[in-house]
């Protein structure tokens, strides 16, 4: 069974609830006015990555790397983002909201983008 958009949105929202207050990376999110309105777009991005489908094509294109260049993200922040995302996915596995396989697949996609960010920083 494919992970639903609604579940993806819950994961994304839970993650950014943590990230927003994180001492290392939270400042990136707190400077964005009305960040909550951005969450559905992030969820659609992950829906496309995880399922190959997207419910709202008006969200395309996703220009993840170019959009994040202005944030001047450093290597430690990339790694912190991954740690918090892994923690969030683990919480959703523990509550049976997603499967271990869902988590593994999602982390494989996270790894792709982590490597792109690391390459961008080099």
């Amino acid at each position: 069974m494919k992970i639903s958009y609604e579940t993806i949105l819950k994961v994304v929202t839970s993650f950014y609830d943590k990230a927003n207050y994180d001492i290392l990376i939270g400042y990136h999110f707190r400077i964005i006015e009305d960040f909550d309105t951005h969450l559905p777009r992030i969820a659609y991005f992950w829906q496309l990555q995880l399922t190959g489908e997207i419910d709202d094509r008006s969200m395309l294109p996703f220009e993840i790397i170019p959009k994040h260049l202005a944030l001047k993200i450093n290597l430690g922040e990339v790694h912190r983002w991954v740690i918090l995302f892994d923690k969030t996915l683990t919480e959703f596995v523990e509550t049976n909201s997603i499967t271990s396989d869902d988590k593994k697949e999602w982390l494989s996609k996270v790894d792709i983008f982590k490597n792109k960010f690391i390459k961008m920083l080099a």
Side-chain angles (χ1 to χ4, degrees):
M1 183 173 137
K2 287 186 180 176
I3 190 168
S4 71
Y5 170 79
E6 291 77 18
T7 299
I8 293 168
L9 181 59
K10 287 177 185 175
V11 171
V12 165
T13 301
S14 178
F15 167 75
Y16 284 103
D17 284 347
K18 293 175 191 65
N20 189 49
Y21 295 102
D22 187 77
I23 193 166
L24 297 176
I25 63 173
Y27 71 99
H28 286 296
F29 310 110
R30 290 189 298 270
I31 62 170
I32 301 171
E33 288 185 33
D34 204 12
F35 185 78
D36 288 346
T37 63
H38 191 58
L39 294 174
R41 182 171 174 79
I42 297 168
Y44 282 121
F45 166 79
W46 284 115
Q47 179 188 34
L48 184 60
Q49 302 310 307
L50 296 169
T51 70
E53 301 170 1
I54 185 169
D55 292 343
D56 185 350
R57 297 191 67 75
S58 72
M59 295 292 171
L60 297 172
F62 297 110
E63 298 170 341
I64 302 301
I65 303 300
K67 294 283 184 184
H68 289 82
L69 280 173
L71 297 175
K72 308 253 189 262
I73 299 168
N74 67 49
L75 186 59
E77 292 169 335
V78 171
H79 289 294
R80 180 64 180 168
W81 188 96
V82 172
I83 288 167
L84 286 178
F85 209 89
D86 186 338
K87 178 181 178 181
T88 302
L89 292 172
T90 298
E91 291 169 359
F92 276 78
V93 169
E94 289 171 350
T95 62
N96 296 314
S97 300
I98 65 171
T99 67
S100 293
D101 287 342
D102 291 334
K103 178 184 175 186
K104 183 188 256 186
E105 175 66 18
W106 206 328
L107 287 177
S108 75
K109 302 296 183 180
V110 165
D111 197 49
I112 291 168
F113 288 96
K114 176 189 80 173
N115 291 332
K116 287 182 180 187
F117 275 99
I118 290 171
K119 190 181 242 184
M120 174 187 75
L121 296 172

